[in-house]
Amino acid sequence: MAFKGKAHTFGDDIDTDAIIPARYLVSTDPKELAKHLMEDADPEFPQKVRAGDIIVARKNFGCGSSREHAPIAIKGAGVSCVIAKSYARIFYRNSFNMGLPIFESDEAAEKIEQGDKLEVDMDSGLIKNLTKGEEYQASAIPPFMQDLIKTGGLMAAVKKKIGA
Amino acid sequence: MEMTITEKILASHAGAEQVKPGELVNCKVDIALANDITAPISVKEFNRVGAKKVFDKERVVLVMDHFAPAKDIASANQIKVVRDFAKDQGIINFWADGRMGVEHAILPEQGLVGPGDLVIGADSHTCTYGALGAFAAGVGSNDLAAAMITGEAWYKVPETILFELKGKPGKWISGKDIILNIIGKIGVDGALYKSMEYKGDAIEHLSMDDRFTIANMAVEAGAKNGIFHPDGKTREYVEGRFKREAKYYESDVDAKYCERIEVNVGELEPQVAFPHLPSNVKGISEVGDIMVDQVVVGSCTNGRYSDLETVANLIKGKKMASNIRLIVIPATPAIQREAMSNGLIDIFMDAGAVVSTPTCGPCLGGYMGILADGEKALTTTNRNFVGRMGSRKSEIYLASPAVAAATAITGKISSPEEVA
Ligand code: SF4
């Protein structure tokens, strides 16, 4: 499976208050939350983002609160995946639990520029920069996480377990 | 066996003799916690997978603290989802309304969490309970839903950084100054995925409240958990309060650490985190002249009784600066009542402060003190991200209750030395 989309770049330490400010946490609806995605980092972002686009950030993406509204809003806006140097722990865990593909690559995070067209292969983690004609390799997704994704996320695994 | 306290608690809950960093373990949880923002998603997931019963009616804890008492119709509806769920499931630990306090203050206070526990919470500051010698880590709502159903959660055993706290903290040095100093040193991802363990001769001088503050902000350094070794003060705090049997774990002398960092707390001056990251830390002597509009005392970081007492002692009989709005929010009803009985509320109100019922309120920009464009706040809370307390054009400075009180009196960020 491959994702194709335009890159939107961000800096270090993008926190969950920037991804989805707390004032909008009175809803759990993906479309509603998506209207305010990244608003405190870039007020125009909700208007700019198109289905399939890719968020590219530097280190420690998703730090701060444990709110799942962050990956929900990202998915709600149709963002296909996120690429960063590193992720905050709870955001990392939430993303896999909810089936939002995220990739770690220092090189990709440094070289990709705003508006570059990207193609990302989900299985191999190979990131192609179609605008620049470059390729970057993201670190492999740990086997445990791959299993989670294959089962359809954490709750699908729980459903299987309780036989509901 | 050479295990750290974190490894020992994870091993005991995974039914294993020993665990090592990097290993994935499935653990039984003692307490599963969610709040009015995170629980609605967990409830939705609970129903979606067709679960019938929570794993244990007494061990699921739901606290309505963020936008409660409901600030608007949408938050009222969210709270109602959780209220109905708690009623259906017969959940005893549904904390709302007049019983409600900020979750990470009320759980230890009411003896719901204790030493040796493994606590999972759909709130990033769940790590606060590490102060008691428990393993506690924040997760998202899906993880919490899974734990509510199965009573289990998976963890990757973290590597541990050992912080050796040395010396005797000075008069105005609190847990907040120590943790801000540490985050300033290591950065907001300085302990990413790791455990922060505290040892050293300074710890005997730290009250339980100081330790809660230090453990609370582990997540601001990216850590999975922050943890103290239980000692006499822990036992004193827990006895007669904790409802279950406490298990006192300690790291082995030959436990393995990925890093050791020494902090001489005897040399610290009060610390202030500048906008917009908790790691932009300066000593009070380097702050310069910064006028602020609002001072907030409260939250799961510094809304406990001793925090309120520090502020009251400093502002008693003094006038607040004319440019300042002071908002004081006791973290739990018990704290509020004690503050009332001992005259602290009078002192705050005499000084012209707003005193609120317990709530997270402005800490996450919910309500009760939202900042306007261009305003500055000095607050005892834990995060100063862009827009965290209101307008994205506002600025937040983090500091201890003593610095907050001094700032309220002078109108600009000040050392308690100046007003004491
Ligand atoms: S007081 Fe602030 S940090 Fe603590 S739980 Fe509430 S919103 Fe979160």
Side-chain angles (χ1 to χ4, degrees):
Chain A
M1 191 179 169
F3 307 112
K4 254 190 183 175
K6 211 169 81 179
H8 297 270
T9 55
F10 294 91
D12 286 340
D13 306 312
I14 296 292
D15 59 83
T16 54
D17 282 282
I19 298 173
I20 181 78
R23 55 188 177 273
Y24 304 118
L25 302 184
V26 291
S27 171
T28 57
D29 177 43
K31 289 277 166 280
E32 202 44 52
L33 294 169
K35 285 184 198 159
H36 307 288
L37 178 62
M38 307 300 280
E39 167 176 299
D40 280 0
D42 172 6
E44 265 94 63
F45 186 77
Q47 279 74 51
K48 285 196 296 211
V49 67
R50 297 282 169 270
D53 283 359
I54 294 169
I55 290 176
V56 181
R58 297 287 177 114
K59 74 174 178 70
N60 201 26
F61 185 77
C63 61
S65 130
S66 70
R67 62 188 72 153
E68 264 171 19
H69 309 69
I72 293 176
I74 294 174
K75 282 181 76 175
V79 170
S80 61
C81 64
V82 181
I83 300 168
K85 282 190 177 185
S86 61
Y87 297 90
R89 166 192 161 256
I90 303 176
F91 182 87
Y92 184 85
R93 193 171 168 128
N94 286 348
S95 298
F96 282 99
N97 284 345
M98 308 188 48
L100 171 70
I102 58 175
F103 299 92
E104 281 180 312
S105 164
D106 281 0
E107 201 192 355
E110 269 164 31
K111 292 197 175 157
I112 294 169
E113 288 180 88
Q114 180 67 31
D116 283 359
K117 291 236 161 41
L118 308 177
E119 189 179 312
V120 183
D121 186 80
M122 165 88 175
D123 296 322
S124 66
L126 186 72
I127 301 163
K128 287 187 190 159
N129 189 330
L130 305 175
T131 306
K132 291 203 164 62
E134 293 173 347
E135 286 187 1
Y136 328 105
Q137 182 63 52
S139 12
I141 296 172
F144 174 76
M145 298 293 197
Q146 282 183 19
D147 282 351
L148 256 189
I149 293 178
K150 278 186 201 132
T151 332
L154 176 71
M155 292 313 287
V158 171
K159 191 170 180 177
K160 223 163 96 187
K161 197 166 172 183
I162 62 174
Chain B
M1 287 285 285
E2 48 184 61
M3 282 196 283
T4 65
I5 176 167
T6 292
E7 288 157 12
K8 284 185 182 177
I9 299 174
L10 285 170
S12 75
H13 287 79
E17 280 283 298
Q18 189 169 14
V19 299
K20 289 208 165 81
E23 212 176 297
L24 284 165
V25 288
N26 206 43
C27 293
K28 291 220 173 322
V29 307
D30 291 304
I31 289 290
L33 162 76
N35 60 48
D36 53 323
I37 289 179
T38 56
I41 302 178
S42 304
V43 170
K44 212 176 182 179
E45 291 299 316
F46 184 94
N47 293 329
R48 194 174 64 81
V49 300
K52 296 279 175 296
K53 284 253 160 284
V54 296
F55 81 104
D56 186 330
K57 289 194 291 201
E58 292 182 26
R59 288 171 184 260
V60 173
V61 181
L62 302 169
V63 187
M64 306 297 98
D65 54 355
H66 280 64
F67 297 158
K71 74 180 175 93
D72 56 16
I73 299 168
S75 55
N77 283 331
Q78 284 200 151
I79 292 168
K80 188 164 188 301
V81 167
V82 189
R83 200 185 290 277
D84 292 347
F85 176 77
K87 202 166 163 208
D88 274 3
Q89 291 287 325
I91 288 169
I92 296 143
N93 281 307
F94 175 70
W95 295 82
D97 317 313
R99 293 207 310 156
M100 177 270 283
V102 175
E103 52 201 296
H104 311 305
I106 205 152
L107 265 70
E109 175 197 283
Q110 295 296 319
L112 299 172
V113 291
D117 267 1
L118 188 146
V119 183
I120 187 169
D123 190 278
S124 57
H125 293 103
T126 300
C127 51
T128 310
Y129 318 131
L132 295 164
F135 174 85
V139 294
S141 300
N142 270 259
D143 269 309
L144 199 270
M148 278 204 305
I149 299 167
T150 62
E152 292 174 357
W154 67 266
Y155 295 97
K156 188 166 164 185
V157 180
E159 293 184 301
T160 298
I161 306 176
L162 182 68
F163 291 86
E164 286 181 85
L165 308 184
K166 300 236 155 105
K168 185 167 188 270
K171 180 154 191 237
W172 300 112
I173 300 307
S174 68
K176 184 63 155 286
D177 302 295
I178 296 172
I179 189 65
L180 284 178
N181 179 263
I182 288 173
I183 297 166
K185 273 194 183 118
I186 68 173
V188 286
D189 61 350
L192 196 59
Y193 305 121
K194 298 189 174 124
S195 172
M196 298 170 82
E197 181 177 318
Y198 298 96
K199 265 194 174 168
D201 59 282
I203 291 175
E204 64 177 284
H205 304 293
L206 300 178
S207 67
M208 285 312 294
D209 287 1
D210 285 321
R211 299 177 198 185
F212 283 124
T213 306
I214 293 173
N216 174 271
M217 289 189 73
V219 66
E220 265 63 67
K224 176 174 255 169
N225 71 321
I227 197 161
F228 283 83
H229 293 256
D231 61 8
K233 281 194 186 152
T234 323
R235 284 173 196 264
E236 201 184 304
Y237 181 86
V238 166
E239 273 161 24
R241 188 193 293 267
F242 184 41
K243 313 269 193 301
R244 290 175 282 113
E245 191 202 336
K247 298 212 175 69
Y248 298 98
Y249 292 98
E250 279 207 13
S251 295
D252 294 318
V253 280
D254 48 2
K256 298 258 184 306
Y257 297 97
C258 64
E259 209 181 334
R260 286 169 191 263
I261 296 174
E262 236 185 72
V263 184
N264 193 336
V265 303
E267 288 170 2
L268 282 187
E269 58 168 340
Q271 308 279 301
V272 179
F274 277 52
H276 294 285
L277 282 178
S279 55
N280 290 341
V281 175
K282 292 184 186 174
I284 193 82
S285 60
E286 298 155 23
V287 165
D289 278 354
I290 299 174
M291 303 287 287
V292 303
D293 305 283
Q294 178 165 303
V295 172
V296 178
V297 177
S299 86
C300 58
T301 316
N302 282 120
R304 296 185 177 79
Y305 185 79
S306 60
D307 301 319
L308 268 50
E309 199 177 30
T310 300
V311 176
N313 286 341
L314 279 163
I315 67 171
K316 188 173 183 178
K318 296 197 183 75
K319 284 236 172 321
M320 248 164 51
S322 56
N323 57 310
I324 294 287
R325 304 185 294 269
L326 171 62
I327 301 175
V328 181
I329 311 177
T332 70
I335 295 167
Q336 185 179 22
R337 193 183 289 271
E338 197 180 349
M340 203 161 63
S341 310
N342 295 343
L344 272 53
I345 306 279
D346 285 332
I347 296 172
F348 299 139
M349 292 184 75
D350 286 345
V354 174
V355 184
S356 160
T357 56
T359 178
C360 295
C363 172
L364 80 163
Y367 67 142
M368 284 279 178
I370 300 305
L371 299 175
D373 293 351
E375 284 192 328
K376 292 185 169 80
L378 183 291
T379 160
T380 68
T381 56
N382 49 35
R383 287 186 176 139
N384 56 352
F385 302 143
V386 174
R388 171 82 178 176
M389 205 170 255
S391 164
R392 63 187 294 268
K393 294 187 192 120
S394 61
E395 289 186 354
I396 306 167
Y397 297 80
L398 307 175
S400 69
V403 171
T407 303
I409 296 164
T410 64
K412 60 184 178 65
I413 300 179
S414 302
S415 167
E417 287 288 353
E418 284 179 44
V419 300

